[in-house]
Amino acid sequence: MPRSHGSEIDTLIQLLAKLPGLGPRSARRSTLQLLKKKDSVMIPLADALMRVADKIVICATCGNIDTSDPCHVCEDVRRDRTTICVVEDVADLWALDRSETFKGLYHVLGGTLSALDGVGPDELNIASLLDRAVTGEVSEVILALNATVDGLTTSHYLAERLSESGVKVTALAHGVPVGGELDYLDDGTLAAALKARSNVS
Amino acid sequence: MPRSHGSEIDTLIQLLAKLPGLGPRSARRSTLQLLKKKDSVMIPLADALMRVADKIVICATCGNIDTSDPCHVCEDVRRDRTTICVVEDVADLWALDRSETFKGLYHVLGGTLSALDGVGPDELNIASLLDRAVTGEVSEVILALNATVDGLTTSHYLAERLSESGVKVTALAHGVPVGGELDYLDDGTLAAALKARSNVS
């Protein structure tokens, strides 16, 4: 096959194609963009990747992935240390933190219990959560797992385990997403929203 | 604003968001993926970027962006050196070369003539094309510019300038895209396809 560019460029395209949201086609477009913007994007991107890769660490307290341990959440003194929000993944932590509604601490489980995939309590970051819950500093644990079967199973399990520690355990509300149309919602969500209806007058 | 991660990670997200096809949201997802796949993706990607950035060069002969000068196209002895295909951009060169139909050489103009944007012949890689056309080695120049107003204007201009050199000048055919439906095609394409109809029996 004739080649229009060097093998290093092919390697770059293949690596970029591994990123979520970039297929082979957009990886090629991205590579061309990088080639054309060597000084403004390509070299800074290589630097940023190296700098972050050098520093990546998993927070020993909460399981967040960050460039320091304790992570920026755990070491932030302005946060409310009496509340811990339990999430499945770092992506959920980022999402909740972007909403700027919750100012407490987090705990990243690293997944959900799953009989099918053979994930038991020992595979998840659960022991350290129980340890954090009994320190006396924590008064509430908010379960913010995905509303999937595995997520709900894990929430039930955690609620039971945490009940021994005496902290208040809460979970995210189910209901109609803001901006969502009833017509497109599944029956489970509609039933949950009806059941949890509130007075407006 | 509370921060869930270090500023190096923010920098990385912002740089990734500059790639075509990645917005802020997918740049965050990509960054998380990179954080989780440090050894298999993140560090190889940083290495690949650095290695390519070190070597990027514009081919003095044809204007292709590559890791060597002359580029992999110009130095490929298996290619037909009597035909030059003129394209606007390196992306077009890559696209044509992927089709594996054309085995000749290329010439990258770097854009099109544009009165509105103030792009004249001197801003484009035209002088070197005329030089290549008169060497005697070249017998045909294929104009493969985009079928836009500026692309067609540039094709006309090039055809006129090249006519002095005595080489054969051709252009890509206009017509119905393979797999395309007539119903969705514009009138210009349909008219061109009708005008250039061919015998099938």
Side-chain angles (χ1 to χ4, degrees), chain B residues 10-118:
Chain B
D10 277 327
T11 308
L12 181 55
I13 296 174
Q14 279 155 24
L15 283 166
L16 282 174
K18 289 188 183 175
L19 298 182
L22 283 183
R25 198 185 189 92
S26 38
R28 275 197 301 268
R29 282 176 52 221
S30 292
T31 302
L32 269 168
Q33 180 102 322
L34 287 166
L35 292 173
K36 289 177 186 173
K37 298 187 176 172
K38 178 182 143 183
D39 293 316
S40 65
V41 185
M42 192 172 210
I43 293 177
L45 180 57
D47 282 343
L49 284 165
M50 265 306 168
R51 223 170 308 136
V52 173
D54 256 2
K55 288 193 176 183
I56 292 179
V57 71
I58 292 174
C59 177
T61 311
C62 74
N64 188 14
I65 301 181
D66 202 352
T67 47
S68 61
D69 177 17
C71 72
H72 284 76
V73 173
C74 288
E75 69 175 6
D76 186 345
V77 291
R78 294 163 304 176
R79 286 182 183 260
D80 169 15
R81 311 204 145 254
T82 64
T83 319
I84 294 178
C85 182
V86 181
V87 293
E88 288 178 22
D89 193 272
V90 178
D92 304 325
L93 187 161
W94 287 16
L96 280 168
D97 225 48
R98 270 200 307 281
S99 77
E100 295 193 40
T101 327
F102 179 70
K103 308 277 189 193
L105 302 177
Y106 290 93
H107 196 88
V108 181
L109 287 182
T112 50
L113 298 174
S114 168
L116 272 176
D117 299 331

Side-chain angles (χ1 to χ4, degrees), chain A residues 28-149:
Chain A
R28 276 197 301 268
R29 281 175 53 219
S30 292
T31 302
L32 268 169
Q33 180 102 323
L34 287 166
L35 291 173
K36 289 177 185 172
K37 296 187 176 172
K38 177 181 145 184
D39 293 315
S40 65
V41 185
M42 192 172 210
I43 293 177
L45 180 57
D47 282 343
L49 284 165
M50 265 307 168
R51 224 170 309 137
V52 173
D54 256 2
K55 288 194 175 181
I56 292 180
V57 72
I58 292 174
C59 177
T61 311
C62 74
N64 188 14
I65 301 181
D66 202 353
T67 47
S68 62
D69 177 18
C71 72
H72 284 77
V73 174
C74 289
E75 70 174 5
D76 186 344
V77 292
R78 292 162 304 175
R79 285 181 183 261
D80 169 16
R81 313 204 143 252
T82 64
T83 319
I84 294 178
C85 182
V86 181
V87 292
E88 290 179 21
D89 193 271
V90 177
D92 304 324
L93 187 162
W94 286 18
L96 280 168
D97 225 49
R98 271 201 306 282
S99 77
E100 295 193 40
T101 327
F102 179 70
K103 307 279 189 193
L105 302 178
Y106 290 93
H107 195 88
V108 181
L109 287 183
T112 51
L113 298 174
S114 167
L116 272 177
D117 298 332
V119 181
D122 294 340
E123 271 77 47
L124 300 177
N125 206 3
I126 290 180
S128 60
L129 172 64
L130 300 175
D131 288 346
R132 290 177 80 187
V134 294
T135 53
E137 199 183 21
V138 176
S139 61
E140 180 179 357
V141 171
I142 305 172
L143 301 175
L145 283 74
N146 291 334
T148 56
V149 173

